[in-house]
Amino acid sequence: MTDFSQDAEAARWNYRPVNPVGLNPLFVWPPRPAAVLRWYRGAWLQLTSLTLCLALAVAAYAWFLPPLEAMQSFAPGWMFRVWLLNMVPQILVAGALHWWLYMRKGQGKYKKFDRRDLTRDNGTFTFRNQVWDNIWWTLGSAMTVCTVYQWLIYWMMANGWVPTITWAQAPVWFVVWMFFIPMWSGLHFYWVHRLEHHPKLYKHVHAVHHRNVNIGPWSGISNHWYENILYFTTYFIHLVVPSHPLHLLFHIYFQQVSPILSHSGFEKIKAGETEAAKTGDFFHQLHHRYFECNYGTSEIPFDKWFGTFHDGSAEATTCTRAYKKQMYT
Ligand SMILES: [Zn+2]
Ligand SMILES: [Zn+2]
């Protein structure tokens, strides 16, 4: 049991969850089916990043994505639409969240992890401004790389060079694969992210993302070009695993829009007097504060298995600092 009253770091947070950071109970032994059910009910049956991403994917598929037949050869019309399908939700979600939480300060510091405001007039950031820096690396770099990858995948799907499915052909697989996409994403992210923490790659590439010790919605995928080239390779799973364009769209929004929420810096969004949505992710917030911990997500507990898990306690901070020291010496 973690005793938070003994935590020397407590004063550094404006707010932090009372309980140690939770991990997906699917991987504990002996099995805890009720806890697993609670975990997935919490993720899929509330307003969370998962449900938001699924809703965005369905809307994009129903109203904006050109049919696969139109994507058999490269043409500006559909390619432009694919780019818009990346840009518009990113701008709307990050823009709205940033406006509400950091400009309008709609809920003050309620459930805000870090007590500091976002950085201005600081030479660490491109344009000397954290928000403009983050907007540039997101809309300029990340959106370009992900769009190019998606063009390739849709084009290959359209030409029948990779296994695709329809709802009518495989309804069970359709649902099962949708459910596993966040897990695949977590697995891929953990390994790519660990690689990026190799001192050489870190210094020249991943440091762009880690300029943001105190994070905001636009920090989500504010990454260096090389990091984006690696990070978005997660989509290439759809060249191997039988998928429908809706799977790719859900994967896209999970990879691009959910980091906006997990980097929002606030655990919950308040609407009126009630907590309307779960946004922030203390698990990843700890990664931005202490760097060499929590490389993955709470979906698959790789960090726990490889000894890099930080649960938010003082002991974990001590362990992380010791690990960091031996890493760079
Ligand atoms: Zn990192
Ligand atoms: Zn991050």
Side-chain angles (χ1 to χ4, degrees):
M1 197 60 209
T2 308
D3 182 0
F4 272 45
S5 62
Q6 299 298 309
D7 193 337
E9 298 300 310
R12 294 187 71 186
W13 299 105
N14 171 59
Y15 162 80
R16 64 176 183 173
V18 188
N19 297 315
V21 175
L23 297 170
N24 189 348
L26 186 64
F27 297 92
V28 297
W29 192 262
R32 292 171 52 209
V36 173
L37 206 70
R38 254 197 322 276
W39 176 271
Y40 283 104
R41 205 171 44 206
W44 288 93
L45 299 181
Q46 289 179 41
L47 189 51
T48 60
S49 55
L50 270 181
T51 46
L52 172 70
C53 293
L54 188 63
L56 277 171
V58 171
Y61 180 71
W63 293 310
F64 299 106
L65 187 75
L68 276 183
E69 305 83 73
M71 302 196 251
Q72 281 170 346
S73 56
F74 293 115
W78 71 265
M79 293 167 85
F80 180 61
R81 268 183 186 235
V82 168
W83 179 72
L84 279 183
L85 281 172
N86 290 316
M87 291 291 276
V88 174
Q90 202 73 23
I91 293 169
L92 287 181
V93 177
L97 220 51
H98 177 77
W99 173 78
W100 174 250
L101 296 173
Y102 292 89
M103 293 170 76
R104 171 89 209 279
K105 297 193 192 305
Q107 61 185 59
K109 290 199 169 164
Y110 179 76
K111 299 231 162 153
K112 184 179 191 307
F113 298 124
D114 203 301
R115 55 182 87 249
R116 295 166 294 180
D117 213 346
L118 299 175
T119 312
R120 287 160 195 259
D121 201 22
N122 182 320
T124 314
F125 294 97
T126 312
F127 314 120
R128 299 186 63 82
N129 179 301
Q130 184 178 6
V131 178
W132 288 115
D133 168 285
N134 290 181
I135 291 177
W136 153 245
W137 289 105
T138 301
L139 300 185
S141 175
M143 294 289 100
T144 305
V145 175
C146 71
T147 303
V148 171
Y149 283 4
Q150 291 161 28
W151 287 341
L152 284 173
I153 298 169
Y154 284 128
W155 173 68
M156 291 176 96
M157 277 182 165
N159 284 290
W161 297 331
V162 293
T164 52
I165 55 157
T166 62
W167 170 259
Q169 280 168 341
V172 176
W173 173 245
F174 201 104
V175 175
V176 169
W177 180 211
M178 201 64 97
F179 186 77
F180 274 104
I181 284 172
M183 245 182 220
W184 157 252
S185 163
L187 184 149
H188 176 274
F189 179 61
Y190 180 82
W191 292 107
V192 163
H193 195 183
R194 277 210 81 157
L195 181 69
E196 280 163 0
H197 275 257
H198 181 281
K200 278 213 174 82
L201 261 182
Y202 184 87
K203 187 164 170 243
H204 299 290
V205 177
H206 193 44
V208 168
H209 185 65
H210 275 285
R211 287 170 182 175
N212 306 289
V213 174
N214 174 23
I215 46 183
W218 282 106
S219 312
I221 48 169
S222 173
N223 302 331
H224 187 276
W225 290 98
Y226 289 145
E227 171 158 3
N228 287 320
I229 286 172
L230 272 174
Y231 177 74
F232 291 118
T233 56
T234 182
Y235 299 149
F236 293 139
I237 189 85
H238 300 287
L239 301 180
V240 184
V241 175
S243 303
H244 182 272
L246 191 58
H247 290 113
L248 178 57
L249 279 167
F250 174 57
H251 196 167
I252 288 167
Y253 293 127
F254 187 72
Q255 210 68 24
Q256 297 168 200
V257 172
S258 81
I260 299 174
L261 280 82
S262 65
H263 288 76
S264 68
F266 288 74
E267 188 187 46
K268 297 262 171 75
I269 299 293
K270 220 165 86 165
E273 282 314 300
T274 55
E275 288 176 349
K278 186 182 173 325
T279 49
D281 180 2
F282 197 54
F283 181 94
H284 194 67
Q285 188 91 26
L286 285 160
H287 177 69
H288 278 269
R289 171 69 64 91
Y290 298 113
F291 303 91
E292 304 307 338
C293 62
N294 297 5
Y295 298 110
T297 64
S298 43
E299 201 55 33
I300 308 185
F302 280 118
D303 286 287
K304 182 126 195 168
W305 298 334
F306 294 106
T308 53
F309 177 47
H310 195 312
D311 65 356
S313 67
E315 298 96 297
T317 299
T318 310
C319 289
T320 302
R321 286 188 172 144
Y323 172 69
K324 203 162 152 184
K325 241 188 200 144
Q326 60 88 35
M327 197 179 159
Y328 290 105
T329 48

